[in-house]
Amino acid sequence: MIRVLAIDDEPLALRQLVTYISKVPFLELAGQCRSALEAREIMEHDVVDAIFCDINMPDLSGMDFVRQLAAPPLIVFTTAYSEYAIEGYKVNAVDYLLKPFGMNDFLRASMKIQEQYNLRHPNTPQQQSSPVQADGTIFVKTDYRVVRIAISDIRYIEGMSEYLKIHLEGQKPVITLLSMKKMEDYLPPTQFMRIHRSYIVNLQKIQEVNKNRIILDADTYLPLGDLYKEQFNDYLTRNFLGK
């Protein structure tokens, strides 16, 4: 995992950064800061591989903060001012995100971070292999048993506090002790997508999309959360036939 720091003096912008970081499987949030001075304190006591940093901040700008670092991590600048772009590349920033930016832009920058991180750490073990077996099944612990589930049978996954309820095609749901984030990381992103803080859906099971509802059948309607709309709408746009 690549440990990243989110820095922005605007609360809404910082919250967006943290949300986007949580959606990228290979990123781990090391901390969130409202100022460069606060970020400096964290970096003195914790491992930080990369930072997403706003430029125009009071007390100490993001650009000056990076210039003062003896061994800066990988940098992605975020700002509403395009004139800072050239300055950003002068300090070897990996990327530059112009506000407002969406999940696709953030993911592009994250992929650049991953590429540079792998070049800096060629001998670092990669993220553990997927638990999905070659035959498309996973093993899930439920009660005192371990059961095998075909991922193609999963209709959707419902978060219930510390537990997950895995809804299956033609079978009783399976309840397991696991976080939504872990399950999201395990499942193939080409087939499954998080659409709400409490729901992951099998994209192949969707029958209809009606405003903010994802319909699997006549009796099953899943909500589309505001934080996940952009990513889901991008998926629809890529797969939509016609105008």
Side-chain angles (χ1 to χ4, degrees):
M1 297 289 279
I2 302 173
R3 291 179 56 78
V4 299
L5 198 60
I7 312 170
D8 201 304
D9 64 308
E10 299 176 5
L12 290 178
L14 183 59
R15 189 183 311 161
Q16 182 191 50
L17 273 177
V18 171
T19 298
Y20 285 171
I21 290 169
S22 71
K23 293 182 180 181
V24 181
F26 54 83
L27 298 184
E28 179 183 4
L29 184 66
Q32 50 182 303
C33 311
R34 295 281 301 276
S35 72
L37 299 178
E38 184 181 347
R40 179 187 289 165
E41 292 183 8
I42 291 178
M43 294 178 68
E44 288 176 354
H45 302 95
D46 203 351
V47 175
V48 174
D49 301 308
I51 61 175
F52 288 87
C53 184
D54 186 27
I55 293 178
N56 192 22
M57 294 187 292
D59 298 327
L60 181 64
S61 75
M63 195 72 68
D64 289 337
F65 168 61
V66 171
R67 288 194 181 104
Q68 292 177 10
L69 296 175
L74 299 167
I75 309 295
V76 172
F77 283 119
T78 65
T79 182
Y81 303 97
S82 58
E83 60 266 26
Y84 287 121
I86 295 176
E87 290 299 313
Y89 291 115
K90 285 183 179 179
V91 294
N92 296 320
V94 173
D95 206 352
Y96 175 95
L97 291 173
L98 185 63
K99 298 177 181 178
F101 54 86
M103 183 62 198
N104 280 347
D105 292 327
F106 183 85
L107 185 58
R108 183 201 72 227
S110 298
M111 295 295 288
K112 289 184 180 180
I113 284 178
Q114 185 184 46
E115 180 181 353
Q116 291 299 314
Y117 178 85
N118 290 339
L119 289 174
R120 289 188 178 188
H121 304 83
N123 298 318
T124 300
Q126 298 299 307
Q127 184 178 5
Q128 72 175 47
S129 59
S130 170
V132 178
Q133 305 296 301
D135 62 353
T137 61
I138 56 176
F139 288 101
V140 175
K141 186 176 182 181
T142 177
D143 295 328
Y144 299 101
R145 302 174 297 136
V146 175
V147 298
R148 183 193 292 267
I149 295 174
I151 61 171
S152 60
D153 287 340
I154 299 175
R155 302 181 70 222
Y156 65 97
I157 297 163
E158 180 181 1
M160 304 186 306
S161 187
E162 297 178 348
Y163 291 84
L164 297 182
K165 189 174 186 179
I166 304 173
H167 295 262
L168 302 168
E169 200 77 62
Q171 305 172 52
K172 291 183 178 180
V174 172
I175 296 176
T176 185
L177 179 61
L178 193 66
S179 71
M180 287 289 282
K181 183 68 170 68
K182 285 279 188 182
M183 181 60 81
E184 189 178 8
D185 292 347
Y186 289 158
L187 295 172
T190 55
Q191 188 175 349
F192 292 86
M193 182 179 293
R194 187 147 179 197
I195 57 168
H196 187 275
R197 63 184 180 87
S198 299
Y199 292 99
I200 296 172
V201 69
N202 185 337
L203 297 168
Q204 297 174 359
K205 305 295 183 181
I206 297 174
Q207 298 300 317
E208 184 180 335
V209 179
N210 189 339
K211 295 183 180 178
N212 291 331
R213 295 194 305 174
I214 295 174
I215 302 171
L216 304 190
D217 57 42
D219 301 315
T220 310
Y221 302 79
L222 303 181
L224 178 58
D226 290 340
L227 294 177
Y228 303 89
K229 280 182 183 178
E230 183 176 359
Q231 183 181 13
F232 183 74
N233 287 335
D234 286 345
Y235 163 77
L236 287 183
T237 300
R238 292 194 307 270
N239 293 279
F240 183 75
L241 189 63
K243 296 182 179 179

